[in-house]
Each structure stands twice: as structure tokens, then as C-alpha cells.
Amino acid sequence: MSFAPNESDDASLVALALQGDQRAFSALMRRHKEKLYRFIRAYVGDADEAYDLTQESFVAAWTALSRFDSKRPFHIWLRRIALNKCRDWDRRRAVRRFFFTARSLDAGVDVAAPNESPDETNERRLAALDAAIADLPASLKAPLVLTQLDGLSHKDAAILLGITQKAVETRIYRAKALLARALTP
């Protein structure tokens, strides 16, 4: 069976992949990998970890493909898998932090170096923001990343997280307040 990846919808590609057409799943990966990576990168705050978690998410999606409900959007289902991978990563990181009691080097004080260029200052501040987002509690981080950084609507984020739209709004507000406190010198 042949298909044109740009013309096929996600549900059709899933059906083809379930019939054994690996090109169909490859087309799904190509279609969703950038947004999925950006979501995970924003969640974990580390580019290398995000790359690994993106791969893990696609592997998990491949293994669970038969459980995909074609009546629901594929990108939401895929983000749910990625969110679970991110939460697992968070738990592993919390355990390591507990045992080694080490704080991230990125969590240092935000003091400008005397000879620092504006680009270096912005880069350092962006790294501090990434670290602060990564340190948010999972219940606040997920709605913030999904809506503010990944562009999902509050409705889609609520569906993905299994909470109400009002809960999404409240958690985003709380996350922003925590970020403001964490980033205030």
C-alpha cells in the first residue's frame, strides 16, 4: 500500500503502521519530532536529555501504537507519552538529587560578570530560566510548558493532563509566580 506522507492524516498513517508499514511511522515521526522535542526540551531544561527522552517517547509510541484511539488527535496522545517520560525523568532526577544532595550549577546567583557581553548575559538568563522551569513541581510545569511554550490550548492541555481548564489556568498562574520568585535576584 502506498501513501503520500504529506497528504495522509495521522490516523491513516497509524493504520498503515499497524499493518507493518514502517515508512508510515517514520512519516509520523518526521511530522511530530520537532514539536515533541521542543515540548520535552522546555520541560526538562536540558538539550541532551530532551533528545534522549524524545527518542524514548517515539519508541514507547511504537510499542503502544495498537492502543491509539483514532478518534482522538495523535499529537495529544504522543504528548501524553512524552509527558509520562518527562515525569519519569523528574522522579529519577529527584532521587539522584536526594542521594547526592547536589544542586545544579545552573542554579547559581544571576550576577553579571564585569566583561560579559549582552549576548552572554541573555544566554545565562535563558539558562537560568530553563533551570527554573525544570525545577518547577511537575503539576505546575506540565500545564505551563504545554500551553505557554508548546502552544496547546487550555482545553487540549486539560484533556491531556486529565484536569479541568480552570485547573490549567490556576496552575499556569502559580507556575509563573514561582518562576518570578526564582528568577528575581
Side-chain angles (χ1 to χ4, degrees):
M1 186 178 266
S2 86
F3 67 96
N6 294 334
E7 297 172 10
S8 297
D9 67 344
D10 289 341
S12 300
L13 290 173
V14 168
L16 288 170
L18 286 171
Q19 293 171 7
D21 190 340
Q22 291 183 350
R23 294 174 305 149
F25 191 74
S26 294
L28 283 167
M29 286 176 54
R30 278 191 303 278
R31 183 176 289 174
H32 295 283
K33 72 180 175 186
E34 279 186 43
K35 282 188 176 185
L36 191 67
Y37 172 79
R38 282 195 309 263
F39 162 69
I40 294 171
R41 171 72 172 86
Y43 193 96
V44 300
D46 180 274
D48 293 331
E49 291 288 344
Y51 180 76
D52 290 343
L53 289 169
T54 302
Q55 288 182 328
E56 287 179 30
S57 298
F58 278 117
V59 168
W62 173 254
T63 15
L65 202 56
S66 62
R67 294 192 306 261
F68 170 68
D69 178 5
S70 61
K71 295 176 188 123
R72 305 192 91 176
F74 181 77
H75 72 280
I76 299 283
W77 181 77
L78 187 59
R79 291 244 175 68
R80 179 53 137 168
I81 290 172
L83 181 61
N84 288 335
K85 294 294 177 190
C86 290
R87 287 176 174 165
D88 291 344
W89 177 85
D90 251 351
R91 282 189 286 275
R92 288 190 306 268
R93 189 176 77 144
V95 168
R96 283 192 301 264
R97 189 181 299 160
F98 174 78
F99 282 112
F100 298 111
T101 62
R103 287 200 49 149
S104 168
L105 293 175
D106 295 41
V109 180
D110 187 24
V111 177
N115 298 331
E116 193 173 53
S117 74
D119 286 342
E120 291 169 328
T121 301
N122 288 338
E123 218 173 283
R124 188 174 36 76
R125 287 181 178 159
L126 205 53
L129 177 61
D130 283 347
I133 290 172
D135 286 340
L136 285 173
S139 63
L140 301 180
K141 182 180 355 181
L144 178 78
V145 170
L146 287 169
T147 58
Q148 304 299 300
L149 302 174
D150 206 30
L152 256 61
S153 68
H154 287 195
K155 179 182 177 184
D156 285 345
I159 291 169
L160 195 149
L161 296 170
I163 58 177
T164 65
Q165 285 182 332
K166 187 64 179 170
V168 168
E169 292 171 15
T170 302
R171 291 177 185 190
I172 291 169
Y173 175 80
R174 289 179 182 160
K176 286 180 177 180
L178 282 176
L179 286 176
R181 274 186 255 147
L183 297 172
T184 301

